[in-house]
């Protein structure tokens, strides 16, 4: 019988790519999510019955254990960018990761992969970065041979970064940017999935890997790159940090005052703290080179999915070519 991998958060942005790769590698894939009925789309990644979504709440021991019974490996992709109700940074990124690793060790699971993030640090200013580091430490405590992947900002067809800002250009004359000079090293989602696949297969040595793409650019430059791809002219507006903190406080306060009925989908105070720090691979850190992976550039991927934000969609390049011929 083929081996089994349980992927917590396997229907999410990164998780679905890992699930697809593991299915192609011949593994049975158990996708552990809170809403299995919304993860049915993962089933066609493999043969009938090869990829199955199952219910799991990583805040509950019994739920986590049921999802990994019989698994040869586990991958934890669960993470949040903002807190909401019981889904706090501590509950999801620290306690949740610890729970998965502890139960995986108790059940004799052979390998574990933890998807973390560049900037994970218990001394960081943001709770997001602090709890990512706490989760890493907990995983290594119970599964010392685990592989921890720390990607920079991840891009791809389903991302919430370039897609979000490109969508704003349809209705706004400006693209507001907090931390305009903050550096990022965007990494293609399938490159992260490939790294996770190697870890599950046992090809990657245990340890921490920081994953960044070939391009290092400021937030402002990334927005300009996006505008060039979608053929739109918009003002890239740098929002001062003091103003960003005031706005984030107001949005957070509104969410608290309404008991979560009105969610802060704009920017939180914790996100502002993150945006004030560069998000690039640390000098000397193990990365794609150690895994034998050549990361894909933004230039080769962004046009493939951002074309829909162009004024004339997929026909924009044709119109541009025709215009150049006339001139």
């Amino acid at each position: 019988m083929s081996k089994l991998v349980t992927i917590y958060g396997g229907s999410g942005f990164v998780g679905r790519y890992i699930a697809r790769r593991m299915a192609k590698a011949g593994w049975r894939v158990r996708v552990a999510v809170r809403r299995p009925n919304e993860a049915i789309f993962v089933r066609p990644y493999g043969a009938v019955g090869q990829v199955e979504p199952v219910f799991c709440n990583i805040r509950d021991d019994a739920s986590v254990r049921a999802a990994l019974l019989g698994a040869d490996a586990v991958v934890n992709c669960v993470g949040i960018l903002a807190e909401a109700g019981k889904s706090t940074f501590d509950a999801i990124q620290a306690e949740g990761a610890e729970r998965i690793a502890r139960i995986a060790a108790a059940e004799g699971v052979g390998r574990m992969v933890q998807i973390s993030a560049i900037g994970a640090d218990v001394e960081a200013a943001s709770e997001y970065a602090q709890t990512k580091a706490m989760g890493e430490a907990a995983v290594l405590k119970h599964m010392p041979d685990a592989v921890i992947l720390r990607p920079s900002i991840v891009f791809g067809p389903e991302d919430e970064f370039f897609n979000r800002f490109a969508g704003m250009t349809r209705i706004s004359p400006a693209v507001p940017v907090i931390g305009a000079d903050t550096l990022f090293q965007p990494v293609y989602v399938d490159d992260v999935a490939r790294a996770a696949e190697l870890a599950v297969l046992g090809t990657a040595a245990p340890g921490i890997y920081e994953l960044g793409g070939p391009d290092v650019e400021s937030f402002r430059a990334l927005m300009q790159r996006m505008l060039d791809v979608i053929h739109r002219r918009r003002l890239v507006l740098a929002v001062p940090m003091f103003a960003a903190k005031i706005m984030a406080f107001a949005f957070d306060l509104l969410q608290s005052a309404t008991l979560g009925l009105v969610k802060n989908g704009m920017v939180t105070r914790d996100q502002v703290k993150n945006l004030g720090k560069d998000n690039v691979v640390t000098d000397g850190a193990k990365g794609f080179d150690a895994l034998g992976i050549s990361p894909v550039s933004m230039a080769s991927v962004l046009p493939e999915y951002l074309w829909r934000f162009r004024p004339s969609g997929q026909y924009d390049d044709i119109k541009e070519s025709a215009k150049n011929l006339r001139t």
Side-chain angles (χ1 to χ4, degrees):
M1 181 178 291
S2 58
K3 291 187 175 182
L4 169 66
V5 59
T6 294
I7 305 177
Y8 293 90
S11 66
F13 177 34
V14 176
R16 67 184 67 183
Y17 282 81
I18 300 175
R20 183 184 292 116
R21 278 190 166 273
M22 294 315 303
K24 288 183 178 180
W27 284 54
R28 289 180 296 131
V29 183
R30 189 180 289 157
V31 175
V33 292
R34 287 189 300 169
R35 301 182 182 87
N37 60 309
E38 296 179 7
I40 301 300
F41 66 87
V42 302
R43 285 181 171 173
Y45 291 171
V48 176
Q50 184 183 0
V51 182
E52 285 295 330
V54 298
F55 170 77
C56 179
N57 180 351
I58 67 167
R59 300 197 307 270
D60 178 73
D61 274 32
S63 183
V64 169
R65 180 175 288 105
L68 62 72
L69 286 178
D72 298 282
V74 297
V75 181
N76 180 27
C77 300
V78 182
I80 55 175
L81 293 175
E83 297 181 316
K86 295 181 180 180
S87 295
T88 63
F89 288 128
D90 191 57
I92 301 300
Q93 299 185 163
E95 295 177 7
E98 188 277 338
R99 180 172 291 108
I100 293 171
R102 169 170 49 82
I103 296 175
E107 294 297 331
V109 176
R111 299 192 182 103
M112 179 168 180
V113 182
Q114 170 76 6
I115 306 299
S116 186
I118 283 181
D121 184 354
V122 292
E123 301 296 330
S126 77
E127 287 187 61
Y128 172 84
Q130 291 173 17
T131 52
K132 279 291 189 181
M134 292 165 63
E136 291 181 1
V139 167
L140 292 175
K141 175 183 176 181
H142 296 287
M143 300 284 285
D145 291 331
V147 171
I148 294 174
L149 303 178
R150 293 178 174 176
S152 182
I153 191 162
V154 183
F155 69 92
E158 304 88 357
D159 71 47
E160 295 184 6
F161 183 70
F162 286 113
N163 279 306
R164 179 182 181 183
F165 286 102
M168 291 173 57
T169 65
R170 288 173 167 171
I171 59 175
S172 174
V175 179
V177 174
I178 299 171
D181 296 321
T182 298
L183 298 177
F184 292 89
Q185 196 169 350
V187 56
Y188 181 45
V189 61
D190 197 45
D191 288 336
V192 178
R194 174 57 176 158
E197 177 189 13
L198 294 177
V200 172
L201 296 177
T203 304
I208 298 175
Y209 297 81
E210 296 195 356
L211 307 181
D215 308 301
V216 176
E217 296 183 0
S218 68
F219 200 165
R220 179 188 287 107
L222 290 176
M223 292 300 95
Q224 189 56 59
R225 177 190 285 271
M226 177 268 294
L227 290 171
D228 291 342
V229 170
I230 65 174
H231 302 170
R232 291 183 186 270
R233 293 183 179 180
R234 297 291 185 270
L235 172 67
V236 178
L237 180 63
V239 179
M241 274 296 175
F242 78 88
K245 291 177 180 178
I246 294 173
M247 290 189 300
F249 176 79
F251 292 137
D252 282 346
L253 183 62
L254 179 61
Q255 178 171 300
S256 297
T258 60
L259 302 178
L261 292 177
V262 177
K263 297 189 182 300
N264 181 0
M266 299 299 290
V267 64
T268 68
R269 285 172 291 177
D270 202 72
Q271 288 169 349
V272 170
K273 293 176 183 177
N274 266 326
L275 288 169
K277 184 177 181 180
D278 289 343
N279 194 267
V280 297
V281 173
T282 307
D283 289 340
K286 288 195 299 183
F288 280 125
D289 287 346
L291 296 169
I293 298 174
S294 297
V296 173
S297 68
M298 288 184 285
S300 62
V301 176
L302 294 184
E304 293 183 0
Y305 67 95
L306 291 183
W307 59 263
R308 63 195 181 93
F309 296 102
R310 294 171 179 172
S312 300
Q314 61 182 319
Y315 302 107
D316 215 44
D317 281 333
I318 298 176
K319 290 179 63 178
E320 187 67 25
S321 298
K323 179 180 178 181
N324 291 335
L325 288 174
R326 289 196 298 270
T327 58

